[in-house]
Amino acid sequence: MECPFCEHPKAHKHSKTSAGHQRFRCPACRQTFTDTIDTLYYRRRLTPADIDSILQAHTEGVSLRGIARLTKHVYNTVVDVVRASSHKAQLVHNEEVKDVETEQVIADEMWSFVKKSRSDVPQKN
Ligand SMILES: [Zn+2]
């Protein structure tokens, strides 16, 4: 397996994690990692099925606390999975969506904030 840190071609098997996943160690940079590195499953105790059900519920609009109740996971775990997947999705989007030629743009929403200074607020007399 290629080392994801220094790209050395032959990382060796190096024991297993407490969860039973194969661990590898690079002979060049001596870093250890598992084959799920750079995925949503890396260094998580949740199974891929758990993560999938959390994200499925999130896409269907279930509240984060609702997901925590339904899947019996801790709220912060649910938030962390959703946040991590959002971050990954943003990275993929930034990598894949570049230099798109457009003639028209349809904007579903446009948000703006206009600062309000204290002098603009009507004074009560
Ligand atoms: Zn390495």
Side-chain angles (χ1 to χ4, degrees):
M1 180 166 201
E2 184 181 282
C3 173
F5 301 101
C6 71
E7 295 173 2
H8 186 274
K10 281 193 177 177
H12 303 281
K13 284 184 180 179
H14 186 72
S15 181
K16 291 199 172 181
T17 65
S18 58
H21 299 293
Q22 181 65 54
R23 183 185 288 129
F24 297 91
R25 184 163 89 172
C26 174
C29 68
R30 304 181 70 82
Q31 282 280 346
T32 59
F33 55 92
T34 63
D35 57 0
T36 56
I37 192 163
D38 209 28
T39 70
L40 210 50
Y41 311 117
Y42 188 59
R43 299 202 64 170
R44 284 191 195 282
R45 293 185 186 176
L46 298 174
T47 65
D50 287 338
I51 291 176
D52 290 354
S53 62
I54 289 171
L55 295 177
Q56 185 65 44
H58 184 62
T59 57
E60 287 173 18
V62 181
S63 70
L64 295 174
R65 290 198 187 280
I67 295 169
R69 275 192 302 274
L70 290 171
T71 60
K72 296 188 170 89
H73 293 299
V74 176
Y75 172 77
N76 285 336
T77 302
V78 172
V79 170
D80 189 54
V81 166
V82 168
R83 209 171 263 167
S85 74
S86 168
H87 180 70
K88 285 266 180 230
Q90 187 67 59
L91 291 178
V92 170
H93 175 85
N94 291 350
E95 192 58 40
E96 300 293 323
V97 183
K98 289 178 181 171
D99 300 326
V100 179
E101 301 254 341
T102 55
E103 293 178 10
Q104 291 183 320
V105 174
I106 298 173
D108 291 342
E109 283 184 54
M110 188 164 162
W111 289 68
S112 66
F113 176 72
V114 180
K115 188 178 178 190
K116 183 169 67 177
S117 70
R118 192 170 289 271
S119 63
D120 294 336
V121 180
Q123 299 291 316
K124 286 183 182 175
N125 292 324

